[in-house]
């Protein structure tokens, strides 16, 4: 089914997992029907079962306090001075223009007296307006903006006035501006203030034409000088709200006495306490369903770019982990009571995020941490609206997120850091939240709360460490348990390899040491690499004597009697034969991949050269391994170590310098040939690998006997 309909299988799994989660929370969210309503006599005295804030009443009182705050405004007296200065400067410029134009006219007229018949035109308004506006170019930006707002009609009219009328217009304008700009003018009163100023203007002795000039200036000169101070007003409102103490409903408080009618306020308290479920609502169940659908959508986006097989694997792991986590949470919810509400802190909240972070990815771990907190709100639905549930949710979220901060490797291998992230930080946050609630530190309940929180963090750590090998065994095909079993020398394949191809067996052990050490240097999967090396040449058991390392001393190389093409097929076959053998033994996928990839697409140079000598038309591609090229860092390391070990073994009197030079040039050749293009190794890691392999070879090989053919050995 998975192979035929992978997408449908993944969706089906998500639906099943979410349905299970829904059923686990259903009993906590489903409202029980009670017969309580407004006006109904209480059959018994009803008391509050918990202490919590009456948020509705508190909010109403704070809203009233906020509405009673008088808005704050800021008065800017400098605006009056600026506006008056603009007007004074304008009239000064007008006077300058009149004087300059008149002077120019008189000078021109005097010059014309010496030239009979010359007529000098009297300066007009347009000329004066143009001269005035040319002076505007020298004023600052604010002044220019004010002058540009003055209507054109003012400039045309003002130059038609006499000097005396000009002075009267100026004085009246400055008088009215000084009078009205001394008042506080807001945006809401600006229009009325201008109307008042214009009314005073009408009572003056100025002619209609002069009043019009003043009117132009008043319309632009009278502006808002008192502005709403939003920041100060909001501060005052906040202070007023903060001054209102919260309205509390205290545990044991009588909500309704026996025989008395339940009024609206009592009903409101009952609803807030979660004690009245008369009108059973499906909304909590609906919100739970929507949350689970939303979780599935987020999960789908997080795994969207993965292949279908990986999506299915992640779906199974995430769904199973969340179900286990919610089942444990449900158990703690069932055993806790109002007096023992601190038992919920024993829940190992970091366990699920740890499992998903280590075995899947960090993003799924963070999603699990968030969903655990949200599921707690539904499982502890009877405490909705209480500080207890908010604090519990905060602790669950914090502890879960801290668990996702560790490195993606077993906790036992990073004990120091994992203790800090999984135990120390969550414990400190638990203490902070206890202090936040105002709980007395010397109180026995407080100490029990802190102790339960600590037990929960330790339980998360112990479960993750203790169950890691078994979870790994369930979720992966290359768990430590499996790898340790495969590394046992008594494994049937290793025994067969030792019996049929002892040279290859020894070669595999040496390559395993070199590769495992190099992979450890770059932070890779060292144990998996070692096991893969044990089996990477297992295909040679089919024809062991066709590989030089298995030939007895002095034995003739059988390839001397074969065509290069036949030798090529035999050598190629050890990869395909090995893959078939490993598949039949259901080996881990990465072990099988390394078997396929440890030669990449390298050239079998020795037999290619021999074939070329016989037939110049031979193609190089026919003598390259089928590949693929190494796809992982581990496969690339095995590929390098395999060739280096075989070649250095065949060296005559290997020295440190010879080994170092050979390894360096081999790696450079692999890079140039593109063999390392798809493995994800960085140049820094390649140099670390080179150094590790040189060190391993130098400490292993000293002076060795010469093998029949160095080139042949390289190809094998």
């Amino acid at each position: 089914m998975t192979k035929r309909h992978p997408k449908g299988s993944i969706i089906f799994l998500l639906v099943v997992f979410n349905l299970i989660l829904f059923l686990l929370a259903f009993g906590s969210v489903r409202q029980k029907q009670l017969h309580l309503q407004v006006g109904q006599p209480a059959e018994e005295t009803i008391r509050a079962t918990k202490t919590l804030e009456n948020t509705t009443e508190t909010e109403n009182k704070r809203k009233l306090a906020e509405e009673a705050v008088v808005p704050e405004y800021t008065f800017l007296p400098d605006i009056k001075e600026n506006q008056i200065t603009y007007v004074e400067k304008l009239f000064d410029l007008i006077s300058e223009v009149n004087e300059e134009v008149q002077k120019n006219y008189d000078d021109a007229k005097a010059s014309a007296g010496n030239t009979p018949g010359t007529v000098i035109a009297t300066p007009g308004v347009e000329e004066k307006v143009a001269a005035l506006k040319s002076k505007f170019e020298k004023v600052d930006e604010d002044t220019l903006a004010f002058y540009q707002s003055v209507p054109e009609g003012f400039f045309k009219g003002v130059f038609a006035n006499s000097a005396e009328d000009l002075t009267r217009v100026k004085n009246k304008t400055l008088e009215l501006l000084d009078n009205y700009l001394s008042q506080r003018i807001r945006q809401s009163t600006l229009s009325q203030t201008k109307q008042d100023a214009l009314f005073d203007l009408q009572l003056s002795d100025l002619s209609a034409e002069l009043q019009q000039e003043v009117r132009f200036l008043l319309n632009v000169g009278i502006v808002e000088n008192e502005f709403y101070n939003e920041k100060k007003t909001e501060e005052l409102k906040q202070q007023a709200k903060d001054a209102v103490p919260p309205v509390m409903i205290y545990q044991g408080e009588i909500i309704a006495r026996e025989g008395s009618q339940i009024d609206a306020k009592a009903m409101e308290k009952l609803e807030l306490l979660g004690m009245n479920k008369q009108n059973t609502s499906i909304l909590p169940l609906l919100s739970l369903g929507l949350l689970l659908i939303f979780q599935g959508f987020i999960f789908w986006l997080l795994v969207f770019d993965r292949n279908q097989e990986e999506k299915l694997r992640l779906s199974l792991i995430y769904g199973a982990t969340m179900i286990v986590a919610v089942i444990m949470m449900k158990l703690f919810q069932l055993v806790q009571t109002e007096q023992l509400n601190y038992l919920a802190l024993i829940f190992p909240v970091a366990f699920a995020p740890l499992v998903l972070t280590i075995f899947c990815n960090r993003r799924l771990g963070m999603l699990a941490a968030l969903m655990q907190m949200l599921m707690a709100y539904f499982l502890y639905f009877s405490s909705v609206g209480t500080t207890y549930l908010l604090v519990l949710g905060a602790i669950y979220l914090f502890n879960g997120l801290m668990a996702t901060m560790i490195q993606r490797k077993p906790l036992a291998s990073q004990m120091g850091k994992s203790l800090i992230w999984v135990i120390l930080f969550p414990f400190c946050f638990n203490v902070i939240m206890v202090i936040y609630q105002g709980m007395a530190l010397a109180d026995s309940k407080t100490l029990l709360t802190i102790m339960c929180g600590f037990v929960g963090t330790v339980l998360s750590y112990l479960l993750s460490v203790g169950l890691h090998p078994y979870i790994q065994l369930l979720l992966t095909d290359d768990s430590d348990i499996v790898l340790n079993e495969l590394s046992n020398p008594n494994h049937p394949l290793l025994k067969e390899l030792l019996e049929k191809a002892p040279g290859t067996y020894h070669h595999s052990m040496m390559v395993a040491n070199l590769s495992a050490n190099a992979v450890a240097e770059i932070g890779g999967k060292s144990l998996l690499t070692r096991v893969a090396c044990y089996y990477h040449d297992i295909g040679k058991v089919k024809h062991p004597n066709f590989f030089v390392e298995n030939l007895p001393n002095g034995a003739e190389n059988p390839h001397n009697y074969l065509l290069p093409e036949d030798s090529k097929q035999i050598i190629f076959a050890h990869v395909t034969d090995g893959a078939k053998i490993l598949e039949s033994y259901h080996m881990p996928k990465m072990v099988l991949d390394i078997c396929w990839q440890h030669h990449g697409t390298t050239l079998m140079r020795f037999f290619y050269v021999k074939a070329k000598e016989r037939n110049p038309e031979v193609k190089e591609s026919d003598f390259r391994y089928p590949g693929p090229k190494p796809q992982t860092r581990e496969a690339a390391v095995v590929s390098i170590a395999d060739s280096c070990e075989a070649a250095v073994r065949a060296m005559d009197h290997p020295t440190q310098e010879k080994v170092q030079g050979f390894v360096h040039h081999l790696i450079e050749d692999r890079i140039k040939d593109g063999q390392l293009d798809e493995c994800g190794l960085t140049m820094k890691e390649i140099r670390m690998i080179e150094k590790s392999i040189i060190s391993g070879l130098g400490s292993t090989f000293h002076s060795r006997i010469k093998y029949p053919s160095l080139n042949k050995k390289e190809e094998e």
Side-chain angles (χ1 to χ4, degrees):
M1 176 180 178
T2 301
K3 292 183 179 179
R4 292 183 181 179
H5 307 288
K7 292 185 179 179
S9 300
I10 294 170
I11 295 174
F12 175 76
L13 281 175
L14 292 177
V15 171
V16 171
F17 290 144
N18 283 334
L19 181 60
I20 294 174
L21 294 177
F22 183 86
L23 293 176
L24 288 172
F26 179 80
S28 301
V29 178
R30 181 176 60 89
Q31 297 182 354
K32 300 176 182 178
Q33 186 173 6
L34 296 177
H35 301 286
L36 296 175
Q37 56 185 348
V38 176
Q40 173 186 344
E43 297 180 359
E44 59 182 9
T45 299
I46 303 174
R47 296 177 179 271
T49 58
K50 63 192 76 172
T51 298
L52 77 161
E53 180 185 348
N54 189 339
T55 54
T56 303
E57 193 65 26
T58 302
E59 189 60 30
N60 288 338
K61 288 191 174 184
R62 288 176 176 172
K63 188 174 182 180
L64 290 174
E66 182 181 9
E67 292 174 350
V69 173
V70 178
E72 278 286 317
Y73 285 85
T74 300
F75 176 65
L76 301 178
D78 293 344
I79 291 180
K80 183 184 78 170
E81 302 299 327
N82 292 337
Q83 298 299 95
I84 289 176
T85 300
Y86 295 154
V87 172
E88 289 177 340
K89 180 65 175 177
L90 177 61
F91 279 99
D92 290 343
L93 293 176
I94 292 172
S95 298
E96 289 180 13
V97 169
N98 280 331
E99 292 175 1
E100 290 175 0
V101 170
Q102 185 62 40
K103 182 177 181 302
N104 292 337
Y105 173 74
D106 292 341
D107 292 343
K109 190 175 180 181
S111 299
N114 299 326
T115 307
T118 302
V119 178
I120 303 302
T122 303
V125 172
E126 291 78 4
E127 182 181 352
K128 294 181 179 180
V129 171
L132 176 63
K133 290 187 176 181
S134 66
K135 290 183 176 293
F136 289 170
E137 298 175 0
K138 300 178 181 180
V139 301
D140 58 75
E141 292 183 1
D142 293 336
T143 306
L144 178 61
F146 178 83
Y147 292 164
Q148 288 177 336
S149 65
V150 176
E152 189 70 19
F154 169 80
F155 297 113
K156 292 181 179 180
V158 74
F159 282 111
N161 297 326
S162 63
E164 182 181 355
D165 289 340
L166 191 61
T167 301
R168 294 177 65 194
V169 169
K170 174 183 177 181
N171 292 338
K172 191 62 179 179
T173 301
L174 294 175
E175 176 189 343
L176 292 174
L177 288 177
D178 181 69
N179 182 24
Y180 283 95
L181 288 175
S182 297
Q183 305 174 18
R184 293 176 179 266
I185 305 174
R186 300 177 184 175
Q187 187 177 12
S188 58
T189 62
L190 178 60
S191 178
Q192 184 60 46
T193 303
K194 288 184 178 182
Q195 291 181 13
D196 293 343
L198 295 178
F199 180 75
D200 283 353
L201 176 61
Q202 291 177 357
L203 299 178
S204 67
D205 58 352
L206 295 179
S207 64
E209 291 77 7
L210 296 181
Q211 286 187 15
Q212 180 60 38
E213 299 300 318
V214 177
R215 188 177 293 110
F216 282 139
L217 294 177
L218 291 179
N219 280 329
V220 298
I222 297 177
V223 294
E224 181 182 358
N225 61 11
E226 190 174 42
F227 302 91
Y228 175 64
N229 192 330
E230 182 178 3
K231 181 179 179 181
K232 183 64 176 177
T233 303
E234 291 300 321
E235 289 177 356
L236 293 175
K237 288 182 178 181
Q238 190 61 45
Q239 291 174 6
K241 290 171 64 177
D242 294 342
V244 177
V247 179
M248 303 297 296
I249 302 174
Y250 294 98
Q251 185 177 7
E253 176 185 337
I254 296 176
I255 306 300
R257 295 186 180 276
E258 183 180 357
S260 63
Q261 289 187 339
I262 299 176
D263 58 17
K265 284 194 173 182
M267 184 61 67
E268 180 183 318
K269 291 181 180 180
L270 291 172
E271 295 288 350
L272 188 62
L273 290 164
M275 299 173 64
N276 179 44
K277 303 293 187 296
Q278 174 216 342
N279 298 318
T280 57
S281 173
I282 65 168
L283 293 180
L285 292 172
L286 178 62
S287 64
L288 174 61
L290 291 175
L291 173 65
L292 295 176
I293 293 173
F294 191 41
Q295 174 192 219
F297 179 71
I298 295 175
F299 175 84
W300 185 262
L301 289 180
L302 291 178
V303 302
F304 181 78
D305 57 344
R306 308 297 180 94
N307 59 57
Q308 295 303 318
E309 182 181 352
E310 181 68 4
K311 286 180 182 177
L312 184 61
R313 188 185 77 88
L314 293 177
S315 300
L316 286 167
I317 298 174
Y318 179 82
T321 305
M322 284 302 300
I323 289 174
V324 171
V326 174
I327 288 175
M328 287 193 292
M329 197 187 306
K330 179 70 174 180
L331 293 176
F332 282 103
Q333 182 262 328
L334 291 175
V335 299
Q336 82 160 27
T337 63
E338 190 71 30
Q339 292 73 29
L340 302 176
N341 56 13
Y342 45 77
L343 291 179
L345 296 175
I346 301 178
F347 167 63
V349 65
F351 177 68
L354 279 172
V355 170
L356 291 169
T357 298
I358 293 173
F359 291 101
C360 296
N361 57 62
R362 202 177 307 278
R363 295 189 299 174
L364 288 183
M366 297 176 70
L367 177 62
L370 176 62
M371 287 306 303
Q372 283 186 146
M373 181 267 291
L374 296 176
M375 288 301 296
Y377 285 142
F378 288 94
L379 290 174
Y380 296 92
F381 189 76
S382 59
S383 300
V384 166
T386 63
T387 303
Y388 164 76
L389 187 55
L390 293 175
V391 171
L392 183 66
I395 292 175
Y396 277 12
L397 180 61
F398 183 85
N399 292 7
L401 290 179
M402 289 300 99
T404 66
M405 301 299 169
I406 65 168
Q407 297 180 24
R408 297 189 60 236
K409 56 184 181 180
L411 294 185
S413 64
Q414 47 177 330
M415 184 173 295
K417 292 182 179 179
S418 61
L419 287 174
I420 293 175
W421 289 109
V422 180
I423 296 180
L424 179 60
F425 286 170
F427 173 74
C428 293
F429 184 74
N430 188 27
V431 174
I432 291 172
M433 296 310 293
V434 166
I435 297 173
Y436 166 78
Q437 295 176 81
M439 300 172 68
L441 294 178
D443 186 72
S444 59
K445 186 174 182 179
T446 302
L447 295 177
L448 284 173
T449 300
I450 295 175
M451 181 60 65
C452 287
F454 179 73
V455 170
T457 59
V458 174
L459 185 59
S460 297
Y461 182 84
L462 294 178
L463 285 175
S464 301
V465 173
L467 296 179
H468 183 274
Y470 306 100
I471 297 174
Q472 188 182 43
L473 184 62
L474 290 173
L475 301 182
T476 66
D477 64 354
D478 56 4
S479 66
D480 290 347
I481 294 176
V482 171
L483 295 178
N484 285 325
E485 182 179 347
L486 293 177
S487 63
N488 189 333
N490 291 320
H491 189 280
L493 280 182
L494 293 182
K495 291 177 68 175
E496 182 181 2
L497 182 64
L498 179 60
E499 293 172 0
K500 294 183 178 180
T504 300
Y505 179 88
H506 181 70
H507 162 72
S508 298
M509 298 301 111
M510 297 298 296
V511 173
N513 289 331
L514 293 174
S515 300
N517 292 337
V519 167
E521 288 290 328
I522 62 173
K525 300 177 180 179
S526 179
L527 178 59
L528 179 58
T529 304
R530 179 179 294 276
V531 172
C533 288
Y534 289 164
Y535 298 92
H536 79 288
D537 275 343
I538 194 66
K540 292 182 180 181
V541 298
K542 293 288 187 179
H543 306 284
N545 291 329
F546 283 87
F547 298 90
V548 176
E549 69 267 20
N550 297 315
L551 290 176
N553 289 335
E556 185 72 17
N557 191 331
H559 289 287
N560 294 336
Y561 305 100
L562 297 177
L563 293 175
E565 288 79 7
D566 296 333
S567 296
K568 174 199 70 173
Q569 294 301 328
I570 294 174
I571 302 300
F572 278 177
H574 91 274
V575 174
T576 54
D577 290 341
K580 291 178 182 179
I581 294 172
L582 295 179
E583 285 179 349
S584 67
Y585 275 80
H586 306 290
M587 288 289 183
K589 181 178 182 299
M590 194 164 178
V591 174
L592 187 60
D593 289 342
I594 288 178
C595 177
W596 278 111
Q597 300 166 18
H598 75 278
H599 281 297
T601 59
T602 55
L603 177 65
M604 197 177 298
R605 190 176 304 278
F606 178 78
F607 293 115
Y608 170 67
V609 172
K610 288 184 65 177
K612 194 79 171 175
E613 291 173 353
R614 297 180 67 255
N615 180 12
E617 302 299 324
V618 169
K619 296 179 181 179
E620 180 181 300
S621 58
D622 293 336
F623 283 81
R624 282 188 176 272
Y625 282 92
K629 296 177 181 179
Q631 301 295 301
T632 62
R633 299 188 302 169
E634 290 80 4
V637 171
V638 174
S639 174
I640 295 170
D642 181 52
S643 297
C644 289
E645 195 280 338
V648 173
R649 177 195 297 270
M651 281 185 182
D652 186 17
H653 302 293
T655 64
Q656 183 69 20
E657 292 75 15
K658 290 171 66 176
V659 170
Q660 182 174 350
F662 175 81
V663 174
H664 179 76
H665 286 102
L666 183 139
I667 292 176
E668 292 297 323
D669 289 342
R670 291 292 170 90
I671 294 174
K672 293 177 182 178
D673 195 30
Q675 297 300 316
L676 306 182
D677 290 353
E678 302 173 13
C679 64
L681 283 174
T682 64
M683 290 304 301
K684 180 180 179 181
E685 290 173 337
I686 291 175
R687 296 311 170 206
M688 294 170 66
I689 293 167
E690 178 182 336
K691 183 177 179 181
S692 175
I693 291 177
I694 291 172
S695 176
L697 290 172
S699 62
T700 303
F701 292 102
H702 303 291
S703 179
R704 296 289 184 182
I705 62 171
K706 186 172 181 180
Y707 279 72
S709 172
L710 174 61
N711 288 333
K712 294 179 186 178
K713 190 62 181 179
E714 275 188 278
E715 301 308 319
E716 296 168 15

